Amino acid sequence: MTHQSIIFFDIDGTLLNHDKELPLSTKESIFKLKELGHEVAIATGRAPFMFEDLRKELDIDTYVSYNGQYVVLKGKELYRNPLKISSLEKLTEVALHNNHPVVFMDHEDMKANVPEHTYIKESIATLKIGRFPAHDPHYYKGRELFQTLLFCPEGEEKQYEQEFYDFDFVRWHPVSVDVVPKGGSKAQGIKKVVESLGISEERQYAFGDGLNDMEMLTAIRNSVAMGNAEEIVKSVAKYVTKSVEDDGILHGLQMVGLL
């Protein structure tokens, strides 16, 4: 297809609404894009195992997960960008001292360094994925981790930002922060995909709503912020569509001329 485009969609607040439901208009729009010959991909902060059902429902096999650290193209692993383990060990020690639990995450599973904690239950529950991390304080040993969750109230991540230069800290919940490799972002993961497919900049689109979407919305020429996004996120996007609850994906795809 000469005019094939690729469209990257964030999940939470973009494909899924506040109740983690997939609007019918969104599902129909995704399949219409595929019928037209376009490539549809997911770009999310979630782990691959946290959106497997959604991938199956939408028949999507290309995705940028962990905010760009683990990328799969047409069902095959394309890119890995793991955390620096020596620095992660030190961060975990500091976090334990501060009573801030962490959850270690690779492409297959997640494990907590403490048996249980209110912050973990509170934040993970909002994802409605039907599972919580088991306890394994040594899960980081001998394997590549692509993201760690640090659980602390808003503002308290500042002390980690000042001490651990190998990581970026991106808040996604009032009591939880994504810890990813420095400079890693959805934009970097997307770059790996579009370079492999050879799709030009003018044929690249991205939809998102969160703070972790800002690099993606800045880097992609045809970027669309959801109506439910924060104003700072909307400010970096080329277009702003309606909210996810108000058929925002369908409206946005019509706005940019893809549907």
Side-chain angles (χ1 to χ4, degrees):
M1 180 181 177
T2 306
H3 299 299
Q4 183 189 45
S5 294
I6 186 166
I7 308 94
F8 292 90
F9 294 97
D10 170 53
I11 294 179
D12 301 286
T14 301
L15 288 178
L16 301 183
N17 63 22
H18 179 72
D19 295 320
K20 306 305 178 188
E21 298 168 336
L22 179 69
L24 179 58
S25 65
T26 296
K27 184 174 182 178
E28 291 175 343
S29 296
I30 297 298
F31 280 99
K32 183 62 177 177
L33 287 173
K34 293 161 71 71
E35 287 174 16
L36 292 171
H38 299 304
E39 186 72 30
V40 179
I42 286 174
T44 179
R46 289 191 182 210
F49 55 81
M50 289 183 175
F51 60 102
E52 188 173 358
D53 290 346
L54 182 63
R55 296 201 306 273
K56 290 179 179 178
E57 183 175 1
L58 295 176
D59 191 25
I60 293 176
D61 59 2
T62 295
Y63 58 88
V64 173
S65 63
Y66 284 134
N67 290 316
Q69 316 321 311
Y70 187 79
V71 180
V72 168
L73 174 61
K74 298 184 183 298
K76 295 183 179 180
E77 184 181 296
L78 176 67
Y79 176 67
R80 304 164 73 102
N81 185 32
L83 294 161
K84 185 175 180 180
I85 296 300
S86 58
S87 296
L88 181 60
E89 271 191 293
K90 295 176 182 177
L91 182 146
T92 303
E93 291 174 7
V94 174
L96 271 175
H97 178 75
N98 293 333
N99 192 30
H100 292 158
V102 300
V103 167
F104 306 114
M105 310 177 81
D106 63 7
H107 61 297
E108 297 177 327
D109 207 351
M110 58 180 173
K111 303 289 185 181
N113 72 327
V114 296
E116 59 179 27
H117 196 284
T118 303
Y119 288 171
I120 297 178
K121 290 182 178 179
E122 179 184 336
S123 56
I124 298 294
T126 64
L127 297 174
K128 297 187 178 182
I129 57 174
R131 64 189 288 185
F132 290 89
H135 179 219
D136 184 352
H138 305 297
Y139 193 68
Y140 64 88
K141 295 184 177 180
R143 56 169 43 87
E144 289 186 329
L145 301 179
F146 303 102
Q147 183 168 283
T148 288
L149 301 181
L150 170 66
F151 298 86
C152 63
E154 291 187 66
E156 293 188 19
E157 70 272 21
K158 298 297 182 183
Q159 60 183 303
Y160 299 96
E161 293 174 350
Q162 294 168 2
E163 185 173 351
F164 296 97
Y165 301 111
D166 291 324
F167 306 135
D168 283 332
F169 299 82
V170 184
R171 183 164 292 279
W172 65 277
H173 186 276
V175 296
S176 188
V177 174
D178 291 334
V179 182
V180 296
K182 190 73 175 179
S185 69
K186 291 184 182 182
Q188 291 300 313
I190 285 173
K191 185 178 180 182
K192 301 296 181 181
V193 173
V194 296
E195 286 179 348
S196 294
L197 294 176
I199 297 178
S200 61
E201 288 185 9
E202 62 268 19
R203 293 289 174 184
Q204 299 170 23
Y205 297 79
F207 286 69
D209 75 299
L211 297 177
N212 64 339
D213 293 317
M214 290 183 67
E215 292 92 343
M216 172 179 78
L217 296 177
T218 301
I220 299 298
R221 180 178 297 186
N222 303 300
S223 58
V224 185
M226 303 301 290
N228 46 277
E230 293 183 34
E231 290 304 315
I232 190 173
V233 178
K234 293 177 181 177
S235 71
V236 300
K238 184 175 181 179
Y239 305 96
V240 178
T241 183
K242 297 179 181 179
S243 76
V244 61
E245 308 279 357
D246 194 22
D247 301 324
I249 293 298
L250 172 59
H251 180 76
L253 290 169
Q254 292 172 336
M255 185 190 312
V256 299
L258 286 171
L259 289 183

